[in-house]
Amino acid sequence: MNRITQFSPEMETPRYAASIGDMVIPGVSRPDPPEGSDEVQQPWWYNIADPTEEEMNTFAKALSIHPLTVEDIITKDTREKVEMFKHYYFVCFRSCIQSDGNEKKGDDVMEAVNMYLIVFREGILTFTFGDNMHVANVHKRMSKYKDYVVLSSDWICYALIDDVVDMFGRVQTEVEREIYVIEDQEDIARDDDIQALLRQIGSCRRKVMGLMRLLGGKADVIRGFEKRCNELYAVTPRGEISLYLDDVQDHLVTMTTNLAHFEKILANSRWNYMTQIHVQAITTGNQTNQLLGRITTLATIIAPLNLIAGLFGMNVPFPGKGDGHGYGLFVGIIGAMLAFGAVCAILARKYKYM
């Protein structure tokens, strides 16, 4: 597996290798331009994917990298920062990848991917973990701009940071479209669709919270980095790089503001759907209570009539039996029962028990 990539603006395509032994140590085979020459030395760039401790120690000895920097990369420190050293500066910046959206992962829908940059005047070392397309994207960008842009190690550092921010921008655009769909469905959704829409809101809200978590400290890191781009630090970028970093910072602030707005929209949408469910539950409960009330009223009317019918159905002598009155007493009892039922029904309707 080719984990190590070598590239420079003067190369048409990157070189790949499986180990450090197959690569040229930075600066050894690249002579300095003759004194007084107009030739500008092109920066070297090595990217190491999933570096081992042995490889880190090799680069540390060859380029005098501080042990704290080596420790941060080996331990995969997640704190985003910019640190200044004697002959280089160290940048820790996190990208992200989208998971499959499994709800069991909760807030890990947006998974962080660490990226570390060690920037020298002569070149840059990058260390990446997991799936990372930013290196290939910047390779293409360098090949496109090399004829009219001064490609320095500082510019490569900026391009990697900018590509990470652009990737977050693309994810934010997808989330924004999903939010617009949710808002459009809010007024036309059927009762059977509300549960599915609530799950969609929950999934989208996890994406927004994941983006806000990953973007939370980036603007402060870029702001601090930009403030150090002055004469007090010999290794920091100069000139237009500061303008580029300012543009990146503006994008980060805008995205953070938009995400906060999206979170409010989703919270309101969820509240509206929950309110609809609550209203529907109350309506269903009221209808059930009305039905039970009518059944109770009907049972209350029938109960005394059932008692009278039961008394005359006993196998014992009772008044009116065999006295020769025919069906008169039976018809009178039935009429009294019907009259009693009618009066009770009228009263129940009047007092809204039915």
Side-chain angles (χ1 to χ4, degrees):
M1 179 180 178
N2 296 326
R3 297 184 301 105
I4 303 177
T5 307
Q6 179 186 7
F7 191 74
S8 69
E10 60 189 14
M11 299 172 60
E12 294 294 334
T13 58
R15 290 181 53 191
Y16 301 95
S19 63
I20 296 179
D22 300 332
M23 285 291 181
V24 179
I25 300 297
V28 172
S29 64
R30 186 187 301 278
D32 294 333
E35 185 176 356
S37 173
D38 294 335
E39 179 185 354
V40 178
Q41 184 174 354
Q42 299 292 340
W44 45 263
W45 178 12
Y46 286 81
N47 178 73
I48 300 89
D50 299 319
T52 63
E53 185 173 354
E54 181 181 357
E55 291 171 343
M56 288 303 308
N57 292 331
T58 300
F59 277 105
K61 292 178 181 178
L63 298 171
S64 301
I65 300 175
H66 198 280
L68 290 177
T69 302
V70 176
E71 179 183 358
D72 286 343
I73 297 175
I74 293 177
T75 59
K76 299 180 182 180
D77 187 11
T78 60
R79 183 171 63 90
E80 295 180 297
K81 58 185 176 181
V82 177
E83 294 180 342
M84 303 297 168
F85 293 90
K86 183 178 180 180
H87 59 291
Y88 70 89
Y89 59 91
F90 174 61
V91 180
C92 175
F93 213 67
R94 290 196 299 171
S95 178
C96 75
I97 56 175
Q98 285 185 273
S99 66
D100 56 1
N102 190 343
E103 291 188 359
K104 294 182 179 180
K105 292 187 177 181
D107 291 339
D108 290 334
V109 173
M110 305 302 301
E111 298 180 356
V113 178
N114 297 329
M115 183 172 63
Y116 304 94
L117 295 77
I118 302 178
V119 186
F120 303 87
R121 280 298 173 202
E122 303 83 10
I124 180 173
L125 288 176
T126 57
F127 302 90
T128 57
F129 296 90
D131 296 332
N132 193 308
M133 296 300 297
H134 304 298
V135 173
N137 292 339
V138 175
H139 284 169
K140 297 176 183 178
R141 194 171 177 180
M142 291 174 65
S143 300
K144 180 179 179 181
Y145 294 160
K146 65 180 181 179
D147 294 332
Y148 52 90
V149 174
V150 178
L151 301 178
S152 62
S153 57
D154 296 324
W155 188 92
I156 297 174
C157 174
Y158 148 75
L160 287 169
I161 293 174
D162 186 59
D163 194 72
V164 171
V165 174
D166 289 344
M167 185 273 302
F168 279 105
R170 290 190 292 271
V171 176
Q172 178 186 282
T173 301
E174 296 176 2
V175 172
E176 186 176 4
R177 291 172 182 169
E178 188 173 352
I179 290 174
Y180 288 153
V181 172
I182 292 174
E183 284 188 310
D184 292 339
Q185 293 177 347
E186 185 172 347
D187 297 328
I188 62 175
R190 298 176 298 179
D191 295 343
D192 299 337
D193 299 333
I194 291 182
Q195 295 294 336
L197 286 174
L198 283 175
R199 287 193 294 269
Q200 185 179 3
I201 291 174
S203 176
C204 186
R205 199 172 184 184
R206 282 192 295 272
K207 291 179 183 179
V208 172
M209 298 304 294
L211 286 173
M212 293 179 67
R213 174 173 54 87
L214 293 173
L215 289 174
K218 284 182 168 56
D220 295 333
V221 172
I222 299 300
R223 186 181 299 110
F225 188 22
E226 186 182 4
K227 289 181 179 179
R228 296 180 182 180
C229 296
N230 53 47
E231 294 77 7
L232 298 178
Y233 299 92
V235 296
T236 55
R238 297 287 189 274
E240 293 186 351
I241 302 299
S242 298
L243 298 177
Y244 294 153
L245 293 175
D246 186 62
D247 180 68
V248 172
Q249 181 186 346
D250 291 341
H251 287 174
L252 288 171
V253 172
T254 302
M255 282 192 290
T256 304
T257 304
N258 290 340
L259 288 173
H261 178 64
F262 294 160
E263 201 280 331
K264 291 181 180 179
I265 293 177
L266 291 172
N268 292 335
S269 297
R270 184 177 184 276
W271 173 260
N272 291 337
Y273 284 123
M274 292 298 294
T275 302
Q276 292 183 29
I277 293 177
H278 185 63
V279 170
Q280 290 175 4
I282 293 176
T283 303
T284 303
N286 291 337
Q287 293 174 352
T288 303
N289 291 336
Q290 291 176 0
L291 178 61
L292 291 176
R294 291 174 181 176
I295 294 175
T296 303
T297 302
L298 183 61
T300 303
I301 297 173
I302 294 175
L305 304 180
N306 191 35
L307 175 62
I308 296 174
L311 290 175
F312 282 92
M314 295 187 296
N315 294 323
V316 296
F318 56 88
K321 184 178 181 180
D323 56 2
H325 292 289
Y327 296 100
L329 184 59
F330 174 78
V331 173
I333 293 173
I334 295 299
M337 293 173 65
L338 292 175
F340 175 78
V343 170
C344 291
I346 292 172
L347 292 175
R349 178 71 66 176
K350 179 180 180 180
Y351 292 103
K352 297 182 179 180
Y353 289 108
M354 292 184 65

